[in-house]
Amino acid sequence: MMELPDNIAALYHRCIQGAATAEEQAAFLQYLQEPGHEDILREVLRRGLREPKPLTDLPPEREEVVWQTIMASTGATPAVTPVYRMAWFRMAAAASIAVLVAIGGYTYYRSHESRPLAVQTPLAPGGNKAILTLGNGKVITLDSIGNGQIAGENGVVKQSNGKLAYAADPAGAVTMHVLTIPRGGQYQLELSDGTEVWLNSASYIRYPNRFGDKERSVEISGEAYISVAKNATKPFIVVSKGQRIEVLGTAFNLMAYPDEAAIKTTLINGAIKVIQQGTQKILKPGQQAAVANNTPGITITTPDLEEVLAWKEGKFRFYNTDIATIMRQVARWYDVEVVYQGQLPEEEFYGAIPKSENARQILDVLELTRKVHFEIKGKQIIVIPGPR
């Protein structure tokens, strides 16, 4: 394996660590564009590619496409059609540049791209939004009230960090509450036993204001990351779409949206038992149980945990993901309607982008594949096959 010149190696490392100045980053990119540096460029790509696999697995003719497309993106050669699977290779310093490395191709993305301002539509990202329904039927929109104790509810406090917390009140009556997260929202909940729940967009959890003596049971629809407080004598039960999860103390991610093809339960640590129609499986850390809609049986796989937990970390992350799955996530987070024209592309996409960006930026990244483009009409995104 060839070695980079010392000065270029130093620039490379500063770029991928996010420590390079704009001038240093520009100098590094300029160096890679110069004639005769093709081998160095390929070496940088091999070292910087984090997913889905190293470019050393590609045949030479495919690597040549990488080089040609880099040159096209920086204006050095005529345009070359990029290929359609992407992974992020970050070269940070100036926030306006991110480099996209693809299996067999490369394309350049600028967050401050040259699209005319008149046609930009800033579809704003979601935020901390939730609706609390109390046992007496009273409805409280949490993002429209101040922080502090919820009126008339002992031990129920809205905190300043987008979190609703319950303290056990043994003397109080047990009532059922529902926390609903609208499209374009997210929220965190601390149950009375100390269990922490992170809820994604278009989700809800139904739970008691305090748990009884025998078990702790909640109902969830949508997506949630749950860190269960340990209690060996009182199991924690999660019910979702006919599936039952039994827990003593652990952390796991549950994805149970009505419009997804399967319920997916991913264990992060500890152990859980997944039960569905008489079948049960005990998961090990890192495993995922999938229960397909209207189909008996539980399938166990080992997913990419970064992709599973990306939503909780404030990111979109795609790995072998089809466009319809991506757009369902976009629809929930940006609270938009997605409409399709024509047949969807079959390619699977790779990529990552912060959820704090507006929707236009993630759409621009997908458009770089030249397999799909988008039109925006108000709160509607139209997905159209082929390049713009």
Side-chain angles (χ1 to χ4, degrees), residues 231-372:
N231 187 331
T233 64
K234 190 184 296 185
F236 194 93
I237 309 298
V238 180
V239 177
S240 57
K241 294 176 65 177
Q243 174 184 277
R244 178 182 173 97
I245 301 170
E246 296 184 0
V247 186
L248 292 178
T250 188
F252 64 98
N253 192 84
L254 171 66
M255 194 275 288
Y257 283 111
D259 59 350
E260 295 289 347
I263 307 171
K264 295 181 179 179
T265 306
T266 308
L267 180 61
I268 307 306
N269 57 60
I272 59 176
K273 181 189 295 183
V274 178
I275 305 170
Q276 189 258 356
Q277 294 187 14
T279 301
Q280 63 182 37
K281 298 283 187 179
I282 296 177
L283 296 187
K284 298 177 181 179
Q287 290 185 331
Q288 181 180 88
V291 175
N293 292 340
N294 304 316
T295 302
I298 302 171
T299 302
I300 305 298
T301 59
T302 304
D304 182 282
L305 294 183
E306 285 191 349
E307 181 183 15
V308 171
L309 300 179
W311 71 270
K312 179 176 172 289
E313 305 301 325
K315 300 175 185 177
F316 290 103
R317 183 178 291 276
F318 309 122
Y319 187 88
N320 274 345
T321 309
D322 61 77
I323 189 68
T325 299
I326 292 173
M327 295 310 297
R328 286 196 294 272
Q329 294 184 40
V330 169
R332 294 176 195 130
W333 182 239
Y334 294 99
D335 188 18
V336 294
E337 177 189 9
V338 176
V339 177
Y340 296 95
Q341 286 187 3
Q343 185 173 356
L344 296 179
E346 296 181 356
E347 279 71 21
E348 295 174 331
F349 295 82
Y350 297 85
I353 192 169
K355 291 175 70 176
S356 58
E357 303 290 353
N358 65 53
R360 180 72 259 178
Q361 292 189 335
I362 192 171
L363 300 182
D364 286 345
V365 170
L366 295 173
E367 284 188 353
L368 290 173
T369 66
R370 297 180 61 81
K371 295 300 293 182
V372 67

Side-chain angles (χ1 to χ4, degrees), residues 24-159:
E24 287 174 329
Q25 182 174 273
F28 179 61
L29 293 177
Q30 178 62 39
Y31 179 88
L32 295 181
Q33 293 180 46
E34 293 174 359
H37 292 167
E38 292 90 341
D39 289 341
I40 293 176
L41 172 64
R42 291 185 181 124
E43 181 68 14
V44 167
L45 292 179
R46 289 188 182 100
R47 294 185 184 189
L49 184 63
R50 299 176 58 185
E51 60 181 312
K53 65 178 183 178
L55 286 176
T56 48
D57 291 345
L58 296 176
E61 64 271 15
R62 299 281 279 170
E63 286 196 6
E64 188 59 31
V65 176
V66 176
W67 167 249
Q68 291 175 357
T69 312
I70 290 173
M71 293 299 92
S73 68
T74 54
T77 64
V80 175
T81 301
V83 296
Y84 320 122
R85 296 184 178 183
M86 304 183 297
W88 286 94
F89 165 48
R90 296 201 178 277
M91 302 167 63
S96 63
I97 299 179
V99 179
L100 288 166
V101 180
I103 297 181
Y106 171 103
T107 140
Y108 215 93
Y109 165 66
R110 290 178 173 83
S111 62
H112 301 295
E113 27 72 18
S114 58
R115 184 184 302 273
L117 292 176
V119 299
Q120 287 185 351
T121 304
L123 299 176
N128 290 325
K129 301 175 185 177
I131 299 168
L132 174 63
T133 303
L134 302 176
N136 60 8
K138 182 179 179 181
V139 177
I140 301 171
T141 302
L142 293 179
D143 41 302
S144 66
I145 66 170
N147 300 324
Q149 180 170 307
I150 303 297
E153 296 293 317
N154 291 332
V156 186
V157 177
K158 178 195 173 185
Q159 300 181 354

